[in-house]
């Protein structure tokens, strides 16, 4: 098997760009998954150039091999190794084995210059370390101040958050406050958690998955079919998606469509057994407000969890509903995957199945938790739907031309809110 690793390393040294190295790595993974650890270690030793194949190997690295590779990469990073793959693997360790990086908080702060360490990582930051960073940050370059500010704000420690907000230059409100809650995943005033620790991936049947992966090039599609978020884990519950609802859109008057019907208690606080999340897909793209332009829309739910338009939606008589989009009605499995590797805090690209109920939001842009239009409390994150939700005509729903739809819930007022982001 070492010969196969040598062949792969030689392939990525070649100047031409093709899918050959990626396909060869997938062949190796298919035959002997544990060989990816040797591949990644030798690639770090040889200072291999940046390439898609090694990034993919880092994602596919089996859980039982990952700790060894993570420890080696982190050791190298702490001693000053600036190779891109060392940082890439260390970032993966921050998501799936955060305790490994907590032996050197200064190094973790440097690593955050390479990528997002949000989610739950900074919640373990010791208060005394944060105080030391604040003490010395004022004289640091602006770039270092911004990294320090982001880490301290994500810690969720109110006193540190407030002091850190001035680092790295001024920010326009309300985005500073919105970003603060998004980084920490906690409500500023109370420290209340705004998301759960782990989510459940939405998994459609084999026929739908073929449609979801059809547009990917051959090597990328094969990689997705092997990815644990598309194939691993076990079924924890079944939810319902698609179909028209009795509730109506307050903007165009069309019936809402079911985004997902599930027991929210599986993922967060909820006082009723089941909630049906719905959205209007019939408002045409007119350049006005609505989820298709990144603006939030809200719905009020009755005691059975059924949605209807919130009063904040204003009927526009100029809008003629467009019924070209209809979500396919079917049951969908909610899959639990034990490893936290598959709940990254920022969008990494198109290999993973990012559609999830609960867990940490995967922000495509800067994160934003919605505020309840009634009680004004920050809403709890419920789910995110990537742009591969099946439509009745056999195509896939594209949120803002290939983005992500985010859904939030206020259990006190029984109100849901939705908005979307795109890259």
């Amino acid at each position: 098997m070492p010969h196969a690793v040598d062949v792969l390393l030689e392939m990525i040294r070649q100047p031409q760009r093709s899918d050959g190295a990626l396909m060869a790595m997938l062949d190796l993974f298919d035959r002997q998954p544990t060989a990816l650890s040797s591949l990644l270690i030798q690639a770090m030793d040889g200072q291999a150039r940046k390439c898609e194949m090694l990034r993919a190997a880092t994602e596919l690295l089996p859980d039982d091999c990952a700790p060894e590779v993570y420890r080696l990469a982190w050791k190298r990073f702490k001693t000053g190794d600036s190779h891109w793959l060392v940082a890439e693997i260390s970032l993966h360790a921050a998501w799936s084995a955060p305790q490994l990086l907590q032996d050197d908080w200064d190094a973790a702060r440097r690593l955050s210059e390479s990528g997002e360490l949000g989610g739950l990582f900074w919640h373990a930051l010791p208060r005394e370390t944060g105080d030391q960073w604040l003490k010395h940050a004022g004289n640091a370059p602006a770039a270092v101040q911004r990294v320090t500010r982001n880490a301290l704000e994500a810690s969720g420690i109110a006193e540190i958050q407030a002091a850190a907000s001035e680092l790295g230059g001024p920010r326009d409100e309300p985005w500073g406050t919105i970003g603060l809650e998004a980084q920490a995943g906690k409500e500023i005033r109370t420290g209340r958690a705004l998301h759960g620790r782990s989510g459940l991936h939405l998994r459609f049947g084999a026929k739908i998955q073929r449609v979801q992966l059809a547009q990917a090039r051959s090597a990328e599609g094969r990689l997705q079919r092997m990815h644990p978020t598309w194939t691993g884990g076990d079924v924890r519950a079944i939810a319902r998606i698609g179909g028209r609802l009795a509730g109506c859109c307050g903007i165009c008057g069309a019936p809402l469509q079911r985004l997902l019907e599930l027991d929210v208690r599986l993922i967060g606080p909820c006082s009723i057994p089941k909630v049906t999340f719905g959205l209007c897909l019939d408002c045409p793209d007119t350049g006005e407000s609505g989820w298709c332009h990144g603006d939030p829309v809200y719905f009020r739910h009755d005691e059975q969890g059924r949605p209807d338009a919130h009063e904040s939606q204003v009927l526009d008589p100029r809008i003629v509903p467009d019924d070209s989009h209809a979500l396919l009605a079917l049951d969908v499995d909610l899959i639990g995957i034990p490893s936290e590797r598959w709940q990254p805090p920022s969008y990494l690209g198109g290999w993973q199945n990012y559609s999830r109920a609960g867990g940490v939001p995967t922000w495509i842009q800067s994160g934003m938790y919605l505020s309840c239009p009634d009680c004004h409390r920050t809403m709890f994150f419920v789910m995110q739907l990537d742009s591969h939700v099946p439509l009745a005509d056999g195509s896939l729903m594209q949120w803002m031309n290939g983005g992500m739809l985010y859904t939030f819930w206020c259990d006190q007022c029984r109100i849901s809110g939705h908005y979307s982001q795109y890259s």
Side-chain angles (χ1 to χ4, degrees):
M1 204 54 65
H3 173 67
V5 170
D6 292 339
V7 169
L8 281 172
L9 293 174
E10 181 58 35
M11 290 179 74
I12 62 176
R13 294 189 192 103
Q14 302 305 313
Q16 67 271 19
R17 298 293 181 104
S18 71
D19 285 342
L22 180 55
M23 288 295 256
M25 184 274 291
L26 295 175
D27 288 340
L28 177 62
F29 176 71
D30 205 23
R31 297 193 306 270
Q32 188 177 352
T34 57
L36 295 192
S37 61
S38 296
L39 170 65
L40 292 170
I41 291 171
Q42 291 186 43
M44 287 189 287
D45 288 340
Q47 299 286 289
R49 69 179 178 87
K50 196 169 188 177
C51 66
E52 183 182 45
M53 184 270 281
L54 291 175
R55 286 188 59 243
T58 303
E59 287 227 357
L60 291 178
L61 185 66
D63 285 343
D64 54 355
C65 299
E68 176 193 3
V69 181
Y70 289 165
R71 281 192 293 269
L72 178 58
W74 182 233
K75 181 179 179 180
R76 287 172 179 262
F77 185 87
K78 289 190 295 182
T79 56
D81 190 337
S82 59
H83 187 242
W84 74 271
L85 187 57
V86 170
E88 181 97 3
I89 295 173
S90 296
L91 285 170
H92 277 263
W95 305 323
S96 61
Q99 68 283 352
L100 177 67
L101 277 63
Q102 292 167 4
D103 67 336
D104 191 333
W105 288 102
D106 290 334
R109 182 175 55 168
R110 293 199 311 273
L111 179 63
S112 67
E113 298 175 16
S114 304
E116 177 63 60
L117 270 71
L120 302 173
F121 179 81
W122 295 113
H123 286 188
L125 181 73
R127 172 65 187 271
E128 56 270 23
T129 301
D131 288 336
Q132 284 295 315
W133 286 358
L134 281 171
K135 181 179 179 181
H136 300 291
N139 298 322
V144 175
Q145 288 192 33
R146 284 193 294 272
V147 171
T148 302
R149 179 193 68 202
N150 292 341
L152 296 181
E153 289 184 342
S155 71
I157 304 173
E159 298 83 359
I160 290 180
Q161 288 177 314
S165 63
E166 300 302 320
L167 298 177
R171 291 177 298 187
D172 295 334
E173 296 293 342
W175 299 109
T177 301
I178 290 170
L180 184 60
E181 291 195 327
Q183 281 190 287
K186 294 182 178 182
E187 189 176 43
I188 292 177
R189 301 186 305 277
T190 65
R192 174 175 57 93
L194 299 177
H195 61 70
R197 293 192 65 87
S198 60
L200 301 173
H201 291 264
L202 274 67
R203 180 89 47 82
F204 300 89
K207 182 178 179 180
I208 300 298
Q209 284 193 38
R210 284 195 292 271
V211 176
Q212 292 172 322
L213 302 177
Q215 296 182 356
R217 67 184 199 276
S218 178
E220 190 176 57
R222 185 182 176 197
L223 168 59
Q224 289 176 318
R225 286 190 292 273
M226 290 179 164
H227 201 283
T229 57
W230 292 94
T231 61
D234 57 275
V235 179
R236 302 285 177 84
I238 297 176
R240 186 69 179 169
I241 194 170
R244 300 279 180 175
L245 301 172
C248 291
C249 172
I251 300 173
C252 73
L256 303 180
Q257 296 191 43
R258 182 185 290 104
L259 288 176
L260 203 64
E261 181 180 308
L262 79 162
D263 185 345
V264 178
R265 295 172 300 183
L266 290 167
I267 57 177
C270 189
S271 56
I272 52 179
K274 186 175 292 185
V275 178
T276 299
F277 296 99
L279 192 64
C280 174
L281 302 183
D282 292 337
C283 284
D285 190 348
T286 60
E288 303 293 336
S289 63
W291 67 264
C292 56
H293 299 282
D295 295 332
V297 288
Y298 299 94
F299 298 91
R300 191 178 298 283
H301 295 251
D302 62 18
E303 293 181 355
Q304 284 71 47
R306 296 170 298 203
D308 206 349
H310 186 268
E311 304 85 82
S312 58
Q313 297 183 31
V314 179
L315 182 66
D316 188 339
R318 300 170 301 172
I319 294 180
V320 178
D322 177 1
D323 61 358
S324 60
H325 290 140
L327 296 177
L328 181 64
L330 75 167
D331 291 332
V332 58
D333 292 333
L334 299 180
I335 304 294
I337 301 178
S339 175
E340 293 183 3
R341 294 171 66 183
W342 313 123
Q343 312 218 24
S346 57
Y347 189 72
L348 303 175
W351 296 336
Q352 295 192 29
N353 173 11
Y354 287 100
S355 291
R356 289 200 307 269
V360 183
T362 299
W363 305 115
I364 292 182
Q365 300 177 8
S366 298
M368 181 180 75
Y369 286 84
L370 297 183
S371 295
C372 175
D374 281 18
C375 69
H376 307 295
R377 290 180 40 167
T378 307
M379 304 175 79
F380 190 86
F381 171 72
V382 171
M383 67 177 179
Q384 60 189 39
L385 295 178
D386 203 356
S387 288
H388 60 235
V389 178
L391 294 170
D393 63 4
S395 62
L396 302 176
M397 184 63 198
Q398 299 294 313
W399 310 109
M400 294 185 76
N401 297 317
M404 192 96 71
L405 181 75
Y406 302 91
T407 296
F408 303 85
W409 174 250
C410 175
D411 191 54
Q412 177 174 291
C413 304
R414 289 206 298 262
I415 291 175
S416 62
H418 314 268
Y419 83 103
S420 55
Q421 294 181 353
Y422 66 101
S423 57

